[in-house]
């Protein structure tokens, strides 16, 4: 089993401890480079649920992103297993897609390289 980078797990835990989404990160995963801002899992789920609720065809899926009965998503003390990106793009050559930024969930164990900050790209 692949082991997650301890420093990256620590960064993810710090993001989870706040309701902030200011930390920018770029990660390399199999088949993609993703760049964007990290969000705590609960905030990420709220935003995904909002987008789904606004969709006539996908609205029923919003409930999958609701917090479990009785509180938080993960018991206190458990390490994060995923990074939650919003306003993120998959880098393809010199372009970032989608243009408006997307919501991505990335397993920490799949990250092979990473750097703090967004990698520049061209919107043209």
């Amino acid at each position: 089993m692949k082991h997650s980078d301890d420093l990256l797990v620590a960064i993810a835990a710090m993001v989870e401890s706040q309701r902030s989404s200011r930390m920018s990160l770029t990660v390399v995963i199999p088949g993609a480079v993703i760049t964007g801002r990290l969000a705590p899992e609960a905030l990420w789920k709220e935003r995904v649920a909002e987008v789904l609720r606004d969709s006539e065809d996908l609205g029923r899926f919003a409930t999958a992103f609701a917090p479990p009965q009785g509180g938080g998503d993960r018991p206190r003390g458990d390490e994060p297993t995923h990074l939650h990106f919003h306003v993120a793009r998959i880098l393809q050559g010199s372009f970032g897609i989608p243009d408006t930024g997307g919501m991505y969930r990335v397993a920490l164990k799949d990250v092979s390289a990473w750097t703090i900050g967004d990698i520049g790209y061209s919107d043209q």
Side-chain angles (χ1 to χ4, degrees):
M1 182 173 154
K2 206 170 180 182
H3 183 70
S4 301
D5 178 315
D6 291 338
L7 183 53
L8 189 55
V9 170
I11 290 169
M14 291 176 77
V15 169
E16 287 297 324
S17 71
Q18 305 172 17
R19 294 261 318 154
S20 171
S21 57
R22 298 270 184 202
M23 173 57 113
S24 293
L25 196 72
T26 299
V27 297
V28 177
I29 59 171
V33 175
I34 297 176
T35 190
R37 287 190 299 185
L38 295 177
E41 182 176 3
L43 179 61
W44 183 85
K45 285 181 173 182
E46 283 176 27
R47 294 208 174 137
V48 171
E50 288 172 10
V51 170
L52 292 172
R53 269 193 300 272
D54 290 343
S55 169
E56 186 175 319
D57 295 327
L58 303 175
R60 69 180 186 271
F61 292 100
T63 58
F65 294 88
Q69 295 293 345
D73 294 322
R74 180 185 317 100
R76 288 197 183 266
D78 283 0
E79 288 184 342
T81 58
H82 291 77
L83 297 169
H84 296 87
F85 285 90
H86 72 110
V87 193
R89 291 173 177 83
I90 295 175
L91 299 180
Q92 294 289 329
S94 62
F95 296 96
I97 52 176
D99 289 340
T100 57
M103 309 282 282
Y104 299 101
R105 177 178 161 111
V106 175
L108 284 163
K109 67 178 179 61
D110 292 337
V111 175
S112 61
W114 58 275
T115 189
I116 300 294
D118 290 327
I119 290 181
Y121 54 86
S122 170
D123 284 334
Q124 313 247 339

